[in-house]
Amino acid sequence: MALGSQILAATRSTPTSDRLTDFPELGLFVLNRRVQNCQIRTVETYQEFIGRFLRFTGKPVKAVLKPDVELYLLSLQEKGRSPHYVRSCYRNLHVFFSWLVDEEIIERSPMRGLKPPRLPRYAKDFLREEDFRKMQSLCPRTTFCGARNAAWLWLLWATGCRVDELAKLKLSDLDWTAPTIRVIGKGAKERRVPFTQPAQRAVYQYLKMRNDHHCQLWISEERQPMQLTGLGKITRTMFDRAEVKVKDLHHVFRRTWAYRNLKAGVPLKFVQLVGGWESVSVLEQYVRRMDSEDALGTNVGWH
């Protein structure tokens, strides 16, 4: 079987796999990421960003030069793409070409010596506790939807988890004795996060309203398992009804969780490990936002 056909067969479950035979090196990279157990969404992101770049250049991968990358990044800026989008494109291309060098497919990366595009410096917003309480007040726990929405918001607020980690929870992931919640993060890494008493109460009241045998934690009114899209609509509805304005729908909960615990004196390393951050660089930004009095607080437990 030809290389292109092998790649196509191995990656046929990805939405844009019909394009991989145009770029065999990209097909091999996608195959490698899947073997490395990268999440499907991550693999699709690589494929999208890298495929767009290769189609832009119109060149074989081995013929790509540094100016080709610079021209592409400049074209994105001129099209009005956000700085974060351009930075993401740079990052995905950097991973791809570094992999090609490691595999000895190319001798030198065209990204070598090319610095990542700068991001604007602006303060990230945090979710105020009074806004969270206002959102909770809009979730009557005497109804199925109200109890479910309250539990969803409480886990976003109290765990520091990524939204996709919470969306995939099963009932068996809840340890009421420890009490912790088992989540599967990036790279299929398992970790345990705190299951605080207020979150437990909210989840318990939601489970009392259910009358089904689904193993998934989140289900719809029709008693069908919910996907991330449906859960995201719940979050957006709650923000809109509470008239709370935020720039990012779900990450604001994760960011606020980290900031809240750092202000309470929970050690930086603990917050990093429980939150599943690969490095402390992001958390250090939150530390810089604290004044010296806040930074000297004592550990009073998870918040």
Side-chain angles (χ1 to χ4, degrees):
M1 185 183 293
L3 175 61
S5 299
Q6 292 175 339
I7 295 169
L8 181 58
T11 57
R12 59 182 176 271
S13 63
T14 54
T16 53
S17 59
D18 56 325
R19 301 170 183 167
L20 294 181
T21 51
D22 296 333
F23 310 110
E25 295 87 353
L26 175 56
L28 290 172
F29 175 72
V30 167
L31 183 59
N32 172 266
R33 297 296 99 171
R34 294 187 64 188
V35 170
Q36 296 300 319
N37 203 27
C38 285
Q39 295 189 15
I40 292 297
R41 190 171 68 173
T42 301
V43 174
E44 291 174 353
T45 300
Y46 279 129
Q47 199 168 313
E48 176 186 350
F49 277 96
I50 299 167
R52 286 178 179 174
F53 167 73
L54 294 176
R55 288 191 293 276
F56 172 86
T57 65
K59 291 182 174 183
V61 170
K62 295 181 180 180
V64 172
L65 301 173
K66 182 178 178 180
D68 296 318
V69 181
E70 293 174 320
L71 284 172
Y72 181 63
L73 297 179
L74 179 61
S75 73
L76 295 177
Q77 294 172 352
E78 291 176 343
K79 289 178 181 177
R81 290 290 193 174
S82 71
H84 285 85
Y85 181 91
V86 178
R87 180 82 168 231
S88 294
C89 181
Y90 169 92
R91 184 172 60 250
N92 283 277
L93 291 176
H94 187 275
V95 172
F96 174 58
F97 285 111
S98 296
W99 178 83
L100 291 175
V101 173
D102 292 341
E103 295 294 312
E104 300 182 349
I105 296 174
I106 61 176
E107 294 183 2
R108 178 188 176 101
S109 170
M111 308 286 291
R112 185 172 178 180
L114 182 60
K115 294 182 179 180
R118 292 183 178 179
L119 294 176
R121 291 182 175 271
Y122 55 86
K124 294 282 189 178
D125 54 342
F126 293 89
L127 186 61
R128 299 182 305 171
E129 189 168 352
E130 51 264 42
D131 289 333
F132 175 70
R133 287 199 299 266
K134 186 176 181 181
M135 294 168 71
Q136 280 290 325
S137 69
L138 298 171
C139 303
R141 300 189 187 184
T142 54
T143 67
F144 171 79
C145 288
R148 180 198 59 200
N149 297 352
W152 170 246
L153 292 176
W154 258 112
L155 289 192
L156 284 169
W157 175 263
T159 64
C161 289
R162 299 175 180 88
V163 62
D164 57 329
E165 295 171 346
L166 293 180
K168 294 182 292 188
L169 286 179
K170 295 180 172 59
L171 294 177
S172 58
D173 294 323
L174 306 177
D175 187 337
W176 300 85
T177 304
T180 58
I181 300 174
R182 171 183 174 270
V183 297
I184 305 298
K186 290 184 176 181
K189 295 179 181 177
E190 177 183 328
R191 70 181 192 280
R192 298 274 176 170
V193 301
F195 195 13
T196 62
Q197 288 187 356
Q200 288 182 59
R201 286 194 292 269
V203 173
Y204 177 71
Q205 288 177 314
Y206 159 55
L207 294 180
K208 284 202 305 182
M209 302 295 295
R210 288 178 49 165
N211 183 22
D212 60 84
H213 302 286
H214 285 296
C215 63
Q216 299 291 330
L217 177 58
W218 308 112
I219 61 173
S220 66
E221 292 177 84
E222 296 74 25
R223 301 307 191 265
Q224 295 299 316
M226 295 186 69
Q227 304 299 319
L228 179 55
T229 303
L231 292 165
K233 289 180 180 179
I234 292 175
T235 316
R236 170 53 64 195
T237 299
M238 291 296 97
F239 273 118
D240 290 344
R241 290 182 59 196
E243 299 181 343
V244 177
K245 305 298 182 183
V246 293
K247 294 178 181 177
D248 44 9
L249 190 61
H250 292 109
H251 197 73
V252 66
F253 283 97
R254 179 167 164 80
R255 185 166 59 245
T256 301
W257 174 87
Y259 186 54
R260 224 170 48 240
N261 281 286
L262 289 171
K263 286 192 69 174
V266 177
L268 186 69
K269 191 64 177 178
F270 285 8
V271 174
Q272 178 200 349
L273 293 174
V274 173
W277 278 277
E278 294 182 357
S279 71
V280 298
S281 58
V282 174
L283 298 176
E284 287 171 344
Q285 298 177 26
Y286 306 153
V287 174
R288 288 194 291 270
R289 286 199 54 173
M290 303 178 205
D291 50 310
S292 57
E293 184 176 351
D294 289 334
L296 292 175
T298 57
N299 188 347
V300 294
W302 296 104
H303 288 251

